[in-house]
Amino acid sequence: MANSTFFESTRDSKSPNRNISPITTQINVNGGLDIGGCTLSELASRYGTPLYVLDEETIRASCIAYRESLKKYYPGPSLALYASKANSSLIMSSLIASEGMGLDAVSEGELLTAINGGVPVEKIVFHGNNKSDQELYFACQNGVTIVIDNQYDIDRLEKIIPTINRSVNLMLRFTPGIECHTHEYIRTGHLDSKFGFDPDQLETVLKKLVDSKWANLSGLHAHIGSQIFELQPHEDLVAVMVDALILAKQIGHSIKDLNVGGGLGVRYIESDDPPSISDWVKAISNKLVQECKKRDIKLPRLMCEPGRSLIASAGVTLYTIGSQKNIPGIRSYISVDGGMSDNPRPITYQSSYHACLVDRVIENADQTVTIAGKHCESGDVLLKDFCLPETRSEEILGVFGTGAYNFSMSSNYNRIPRPAAVIVNKGHSEIVQRRETPEDLLRLDVLPDRFIGLN
Ligand SMILES: *Cc1c(COP(=O)(O)O)cnc(C)c1O
């Protein structure tokens, strides 16, 4: 399909997770691509490459979709929390706060980023299957809600909470025993998972906690995995969670919150077809209302934790094309100035992406190429067997759908500095993450005195 019709045909501005590119994507009069009113190749020459570009309107549209859908389909109280591991930064924390959402974090670094970015502590939830003492203290002292994941959490909280001069809200995470079709590494709801209490232990743990003076259990949590295209597993999850809620109530806990996690998929390539945000929210809301009616219980506060579906399609990564290698009859390689250090998803999960030459989007893509990164790994390939027009060195390539799990999973492999990130909106671009320099990478290296001056 020609790229011009391609960008139009995938456009769903109310549910950005169904788009490959940001919702503000426009083909300009020169046949190049604009996002947030900014021409991508101009951003590349102004800020350098590789460059992460984030479209503010797309992020806000996703937040609004979650917020408004919850309001429309769920008659009880609700709160959407951004799963910040998808992209943890001051700018994301600030945007999330301004949209009235909450946030979930899994480390002291993510907590600090959320708090410094202005997310109110009452709306922050702290997860993790192996939290450190220091992290638990930090979370308790700051008034963040803590998700108890295992017995080791309980053992330490029992000591920490009585020494804290404020009440600490607790949620309990359990493994719901639900299978879903997604990559093995991002599946979390089946019984063989490192996260949460086994359902068989739930009753014992709930009984133990109800007798503990220090524990104020206010919610239950479960999460079945990521990049899920089906609604059914999420509906099944709601039913399992209502069972757990009733059990907890019978044992004597006053549970107010039911947190169903995240997992809604996004469209990386044309054949991906995730549900819209509103259909996802509608499905879990209807199921929860129906189950609560059936069991005659009050509606809990419905919480969900979107990560990927909130930010993936808002991001585009710009690269400069460098060397090219054609192996006749086998493969044409085009190398770019980044790769697995700024986007480890292809080498980790065999993920696919869509890309284009940002100045020549409407030209016929008649060459099949493989786009490789610059790292010393043969597996450092961003797109395999992808169609592009005949490509010249120095041209700018844009890879779509890189807003989630790219910057947050980036590394300095081969001592390659991390890219800069800019946010674009209405023709303006602003740096939100400075580009690392090779000197930055030496900042924490230490050469012991006895090695100095030897060589
Ligand atoms: C990763 C994760 C999420 C977010 O998942 P997405 O698929 O990115 O929406 C939400 N909750 C928990 C506990 C997670 O680990």
Side-chain angles (χ1 to χ4, degrees), residues 66 81-86 104-106 125 127-128 147 149 173 186 188 195 221-228 234 259-266 280 304-311 404-405:
Y66 273 103
L81 311 159
Y82 166 55
S84 70
K85 70 175 193 258
D104 89 45
V106 292
V125 170
H127 284 286
V147 181
D149 188 275
R173 176 171 185 169
I186 50 178
T188 59
F195 300 104
H221 173 275
H223 168 72
I224 55 174
S226 203
Q227 185 61 354
I228 298 166
H234 286 105
N259 184 339
V260 301
L264 173 60
V266 308
W280 187 86
C304 60
E305 300 174 324
R308 191 190 309 271
S309 57
L310 203 110
I311 183 170
Y405 304 114

Side-chain angles (χ1 to χ4, degrees), residues 138-164:
F138 183 82
C140 289
Q141 273 162 343
N142 281 284
V144 163
T145 296
I146 295 177
V147 181
I148 299 175
D149 188 275
N150 51 57
Q151 184 59 41
Y152 189 46
D153 276 348
I154 295 180
D155 295 345
R156 284 157 324 139
L157 287 169
E158 192 169 14
K159 296 194 192 104
I160 295 170
I161 290 181
T163 69
I164 303 280

Side-chain angles (χ1 to χ4, degrees), residues 136-203:
L136 284 174
Y137 264 110
F138 183 82
C140 289
Q141 273 162 343
N142 281 284
V144 163
T145 296
I146 295 177
V147 181
I148 299 175
D149 188 275
N150 51 57
Q151 184 59 41
Y152 189 46
D153 276 348
I154 295 180
D155 295 345
R156 284 157 324 139
L157 287 169
E158 192 169 14
K159 296 194 192 104
I160 295 170
I161 290 181
T163 69
I164 303 280
N165 280 331
R166 64 192 297 175
S167 71
V168 180
N169 260 340
L170 300 173
M171 301 186 88
L172 190 78
R173 176 171 185 169
F174 69 101
T175 314
I178 287 170
E179 298 283 343
C180 53
H181 300 115
T182 188
H183 194 285
E184 185 189 352
Y185 294 179
I186 50 178
R187 240 189 275 159
T188 59
H190 55 308
L191 294 174
D192 179 9
S193 164
K194 69 172 180 173
F195 300 104
F197 284 94
D198 191 273
D200 290 346
Q201 303 171 310
L202 199 57
E203 187 170 349

